[in-house]
Amino acid sequence: MRYILGIDIGTTAIKGAVIGEDGKIYGTKTSEYPLTTLPTGEVEADLQLYINAFTQSIKGAVEDAKVDVADIKCVGFSSTAETCVFLDKYNEPLCKVIAWMDTRATKEAEYLTAHFDKKDIINKVGFDGIYAIHPVSKILAVKNKTPEIFEKTRMFAQIKDYFIYRLTGEYYTDHSTASDHGFFDITNRCYWNEMLEFTGIKEEYLPKLVEPGTELGTISREAALEFGLNPETKINVGAFDQGCGAIGAGNTKPGIASESTGSALVTVATIDALNPDSQGDVPTLCSGIPGKYMYQPYCTGSIIMKWYRDIFCEAEKMVEEQTGLNAYTQMDEMVKATPAGADGLIMLPYFQGSGIPELNEKAEGVYYGINAGHTRGHFIRAIMEGLAIALKRMLECEEKLGATMTEIRSLGGGSKSKAWCQIKADILDMPVKVINNSESTPCMGCAILAGVANGMWNSIDEATEKFVTIKETYYPNPDNKEIYENVYNKYVEVTKALNPTFK
């Protein structure tokens, strides 16, 4: 049996998974790290925290799988696409890692958007403007606020690029990851020279560009020794996490969309070509499938549920400590005991700005319609319903651009909540299908890319058809249709009224 090690570098954790050529997961290990979030929008962490988690996840997954490392033929990567690392000539970090959701660069993003023609931005970047999430904005913010760091930087890398360097000794990135950077041309699949020149970023200080799923060569002997892998192991560039998650969910062709409710809520629809009529309001990126594209709207996700649990669910956390009954499971039961529509309580889930159609980085979270009869169950259900409505609005924008979808495949930690999956099915009025191993789909997706490149399977489609299976399907409850139509309309009305007040 041959195996692949899939590594997913997420927002607050790194997950390793050992996957066999039969498509089964034989071992996993997830290692978390804390992020520091400041009221001014900075979200960052020491690079050493990522390195520790990376090491623990690789060694832990291999140990859990109980396989001979000589049988692990290749390593594939998945990661966030906008988490920035600034490295000096010795490949040492010059500052903390800047997380993808960091908004310190809002002014720089506005400056770049104003400077370049909107049509050029749409054609090059796939957005209707440059945003604070884009690494180009973060790099410019560092240049403006701490110019000594910018001047000393010899590699502007993303977090996946750094770990590829740790395994190979070279910096590479793939088209899908680069397509969310703000200085990559998604039409011609190369760096956008005009943007680099304007911001002062030298191309020689950026990773080499390759197609998603490109096999880069063999692991270095030093890295093999450091991470406990075989010196003959091949390293694959993989793709960014949402692209890998879509592949791992079988979302490789029109008709199927996927949504991932992790720290961010992201929906993906795979398309064969760019739409010339796009106005950039639906973010369009290079797919994890070479040559294809994908729509990828996003907004803040289940990090809101974590916030609520941490602040308001001390009793449930204590029960979890004492009995092992997960606090989220207890919260789920409160939601099930609360009527659809949360008795008029509406939550706008804008903790890090709003997604499309507003795409307002300054938007903030709101509870609307609170009354004395509302319980914690109402507040939790309102979060779930608010995020499901945000998902519906994103999907509607994709459909206007020609994306077709008859089912949604649900991934991420949110897919474990039965109450939430049913709410999504009811609000979307569409079947929601939970994938087996839904929390490991990014690892599965990058493993499929690596396995195809390594000759284990003939194609991505062949692998997904064999190995992607449905665990459970949630169908819309017709009794809730009218309730949720009213909730949806009120949500849109409140958003439109409040959006101008977010400054």
Side-chain angles (χ1 to χ4, degrees), residues 23 248-250 409 433-438 441 444 463-472:
R409 298 194 175 182
K433 299 186 177 183
V434 178
I435 306 300
N436 275 309
N437 302 310
S438 65
T441 48
M444 179 64 78
T464 56
E465 286 171 12
K466 279 184 180 179
F467 306 135
V468 178
T469 56
I470 305 300
K471 179 182 179 182
E472 196 165 5

Side-chain angles (χ1 to χ4, degrees), residues 59 88 93 106 115 149 168 207 252 261 267 292 399 437 440 483 490:
K59 293 183 176 180
D88 66 16
T106 299
H115 176 79
I149 290 176
T168 67
T252 61
T261 308
T267 175
K292 292 194 176 187
E399 287 179 308
N437 302 310
S440 297
I483 293 170
K490 177 61 71 171

Side-chain angles (χ1 to χ4, degrees), residues 181-235:
H181 290 174
F183 48 72
F184 179 80
D185 178 345
I186 66 169
T187 301
N188 298 299
R189 297 185 180 243
C190 60
Y191 286 122
W192 182 9
N193 287 328
E194 291 82 1
M195 179 63 81
L196 296 183
E197 289 173 8
F198 184 71
T199 53
I201 302 169
K202 295 181 180 180
E203 187 171 342
E204 64 189 279
Y205 298 158
L206 294 172
K208 299 170 189 173
L209 291 167
V210 294
E211 286 274 16
T214 297
E215 195 166 83
L216 303 174
T218 306
I219 191 172
S220 70
R221 290 193 172 275
E222 295 81 7
L225 184 63
E226 180 181 1
F227 298 109
L229 296 173
N230 187 282
E232 300 302 316
T233 306
K234 302 293 186 182
I235 306 301

Side-chain angles (χ1 to χ4, degrees), residues 261-284:
T261 308
S263 297
L265 170 63
V266 184
T267 175
V268 171
T270 302
I271 55 175
D272 292 327
L274 294 171
N275 187 328
D277 297 326
S278 173
Q279 297 302 305
D281 52 341
V282 179
T284 307

